[in-house]
């Protein structure tokens, strides 16, 4: 989905390091998203800071999750 705002690379440039107390919840959300993709037979294949967005509610969203597998299914 489209998520307005900065991606994680932009957030790091503006705010600096993410506090350790937030790293685990962020990682948990990212792993849940990747697990969901795997469960439906997709592999993201392009996880990087620019593909992660943080919503106003603190939810991490992995964007462009279907583009790379569609372009290069192998």
């Amino acid at each position: 989905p489209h998520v307005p705002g900065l991606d994680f690379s932009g957030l790091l440039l503006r705010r600096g390091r993410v506090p350790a107390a937030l790293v685990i919840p962020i990682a948990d959300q990212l792993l849940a998203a990747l697990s969901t993709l795997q469960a439906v037979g997709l592999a993201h294949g392009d996880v990087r800071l620019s593909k992660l967005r943080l919503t106003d509610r603190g939810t991490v969203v992995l964007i462009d999750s279907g583009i790379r597998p569609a372009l290069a299914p192998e």
Side-chain angles (χ1 to χ4, degrees), residues 4-63:
L6 290 175
D7 58 41
F8 268 76
S9 58
L11 286 172
L12 286 174
L13 286 174
R14 289 187 177 196
R15 294 188 173 183
R17 293 183 182 186
V18 176
L22 296 177
V23 171
I24 291 175
I26 290 169
D28 283 343
Q29 290 182 54
L30 175 58
L31 290 174
L34 292 171
S35 178
T36 300
L37 287 173
Q38 183 180 8
V40 296
L42 294 174
H44 190 282
D46 193 18
V47 177
R48 54 184 146 163
L49 293 176
S50 62
K51 301 288 184 179
L52 298 175
R53 298 273 172 98
L54 186 63
T55 68
D56 292 340
R57 295 182 177 188
T59 303
V60 177
V61 178
L62 180 61
I63 61 170

